[in-house]
Amino acid sequence: MRHPRRLFAGVAVLALAASASVVVVRLQQGGSTPGSSAAAVETTPPGDLTDAQKAVRKREVDAVLARRSAAVLKGDVKGFLAAVDPKQPQLVARQRTLFTNLRQFAFTSLTYFVGDERPAPAQIAQYGPTTFSTRVMMRYQLTGLDAKPVQTDVGYTFVRRGTAWVLVTDNAIDETLSPDGHRQPWDFGPVAVVHRGKVVVVVDRGEKALGDKIAKASQGAVDGVRRHWPRPWNGAVMVVAMSEPQVLSILWTSGAGRGWTVAAKAVSLYDGDPWTQRQTAPVSSRIVVNPAVRKQLDQDLLVHEMTHVATLRLGTRAPLWLVEGIAEYVRAASIEDDPKWTVDPYRKTVRTKYLPSMKVLPGQAEFNADGDRAYGQSWWITSYLEDRLGEKKLAALYTDLAQHNTTQAAFATILKKHTGKTAPQLVAAAKTFRG
C-alpha cells in the first residue's frame, strides 16, 4: 500500500525507532568415502565433470545440507558451523548470527537441498578447481504461520578439502538469486522476534520495545480485519519491521506518474522454485514495513495489508481495483468502528477530487499514473458495492473473481452475476454514490 497524506482524524500513531543492521547469508558440512568416484571431483576441472561425478557431488553436498537443517531444528550450533571454513572468522561470525536468528523462529519443517549450479569464475580462481557455487533451496514451514511449506533460494560456494565439503562463501552469487525469493528476515543482522497471539513481529535486536508496540497494533489490526472480512481467517501473520531495506527485496517506490512511496507490502510466498512462474495461489505471506516510514507506522496501515493476507489464499485473479478497494474498505471501516474517529475528510476528498475524473474501473495504468487517486476511486467503488450488497455478498464477488477471472468475458459474466451491472454501469453508479 502507498503511504498517503492522512486524510482522516485520530488514528493512534506508533513512534518507532530504527537501528542499523548488517547484511549476510548461510550453510554446512560433509564427507565421502575415500576411493569413491567423489575423489575424482577433487582433481577434475569443474567444466569437465561427468554427469556421474556431478551426481556424486550433489549427493555429498545435500548430505552436508541435511546435517545443517537438523542442527537448526536441534539447536546444535556446533553442528551448524561444522562445515564453515574456520580460516574465515567473519564468515563464521555471520553464520553464527544466522543460526541464532533461525533459532528464534518455530519451524514445523526445514530442509536444504542443492538447486542448480551457478558458475562463479572468480571463486574458482580464488579457491581452486573443486569450487562449487550453487543455488541452495531452503524449503520450510513456520509453525502457526504457514499452512504448507514455502521455498526460498540462497547462494553458497563450497570447496572440497580432503574428504569434506567446506562452505567458503555465502554471498558471492547473490545477484543470480530470485529477486523476491531470498533475503529472508533471518539473513541479515541479529533480530528479535516478538509473539502476541498468532501475530509474529520481527525487528532488529535491541528493539524489543518497538516489536511489542507493533505487535499490539498488529493484533488490533487483525481484529479489525476479522470484523469486516466475513471469510474465515485465523489471524496468523508475520510483520517484518527491520531497519534493513532489502528484506524480501521490496522496492519502496511504485507508480510511473504521480507515484507513491510504498509504506508496507504483503509479500506472497510459494512452494516451488522462486524463479518459476507462479500458476497457483500463494501458500503464505509476510507483511514487510518500509524502514523509512517506521516512525509513522499506524494501525490502519496494518489493517490494509492484513486484509491482503486474509484474502490472499482465495486466489490471485481478482482485479486490482477490487484487491485494493477491499483493503481500503476494511481499513476505513475498522477506523470508524471507534465512534471517536472518522474518515470523513478522506471521504470528502475522494468525492470531490477523485470521482469526477473516473471513467473506468482503475487498473494498473491508473495506479501508475496517480496512486492516491486510484486508491481513492477503488475504495469508493468497493464501498458502493458493500452498501448495495453487504459484506458477505461483497466477499462472494471477490472470491468468485479471485478464482475464476481468467478472461475479459469471464470478468464481465461474474460482475453481472453478482452486481447486475456491467463495468461501465458500475463506474456510473459509483460516481452517484454519496458515501
Side-chain angles (χ1 to χ4, degrees), residues 87-294:
K87 300 176 183 178
Q88 300 189 57
Q90 290 185 339
L91 176 63
V92 173
R94 292 201 303 263
Q95 291 291 302
R96 187 181 297 276
T97 295
L98 173 63
F99 175 84
T100 302
N101 285 347
L102 287 170
R103 286 293 297 169
Q104 295 186 68
F105 296 84
F107 288 94
T108 300
S109 62
L110 171 64
T111 57
Y112 296 103
F113 56 93
V114 170
D116 47 308
E117 182 175 3
R118 295 295 167 100
Q123 297 301 301
I124 295 173
Q126 181 172 356
Y127 294 108
T130 65
T131 302
F132 176 46
S133 295
T134 179
R135 277 204 312 153
V136 170
M137 311 311 297
M138 178 184 182
R139 188 169 186 260
Y140 69 91
Q141 181 178 359
L142 293 179
T143 305
L145 288 173
D146 303 327
K148 298 178 181 178
V150 300
Q151 195 162 299
T152 181
D153 58 348
V154 296
Y156 294 105
T157 298
F158 294 92
V159 170
R160 189 173 177 80
R161 291 181 183 162
T163 61
W165 286 98
V166 178
L167 176 68
V168 293
T169 308
D170 60 7
N171 53 19
I173 60 169
D174 275 4
E175 70 280 357
T176 74
L177 303 177
S178 58
D180 60 356
H182 68 298
R183 300 190 178 97
Q184 303 294 305
W186 44 73
D187 287 328
F188 297 92
V191 300
V193 179
V194 177
H195 297 263
R196 185 184 178 103
K198 294 183 177 181
V199 172
V200 177
V201 177
V202 186
V203 293
D204 295 344
R205 189 177 67 182
E207 294 188 345
K208 186 177 182 299
L210 164 66
D212 289 337
K213 290 180 180 179
I214 296 175
K216 182 178 180 180
S218 297
Q219 188 58 63
V222 167
D223 295 341
V225 173
R226 297 183 74 174
R227 283 194 300 271
H228 296 285
W229 176 248
R231 296 283 166 154
W233 178 49
N234 66 3
V237 62
M238 177 189 287
V239 179
V240 181
M242 297 167 59
S243 61
E244 171 54 59
Q246 296 186 71
V247 176
L248 290 160
S249 298
I250 292 297
L251 296 177
W252 294 116
T253 57
S254 186
R258 287 186 56 205
W260 60 93
T261 297
V262 177
K265 188 173 182 179
V267 179
S268 302
L269 301 178
Y270 298 80
D271 184 10
D273 189 332
W275 269 114
T276 60
Q277 187 174 0
R278 282 69 183 254
Q279 302 293 338
T280 58
V283 171
S284 192
S285 60
R286 312 281 186 252
I287 294 174
V288 186
V289 179
N290 185 341
V293 299
R294 294 163 78 204

Side-chain angles (χ1 to χ4, degrees), residues 370-402:
D370 189 332
D372 285 349
R373 182 178 65 193
Y375 273 96
Q377 291 174 350
S378 298
W379 171 61
W380 198 266
I381 296 164
T382 305
S383 296
Y384 162 77
L385 288 172
E386 188 280 330
D387 184 73
R388 296 296 182 268
L389 303 176
E391 288 181 348
K392 288 186 178 180
K393 289 184 178 179
L394 177 61
L397 167 64
Y398 186 99
T399 303
D400 203 353
L401 286 169

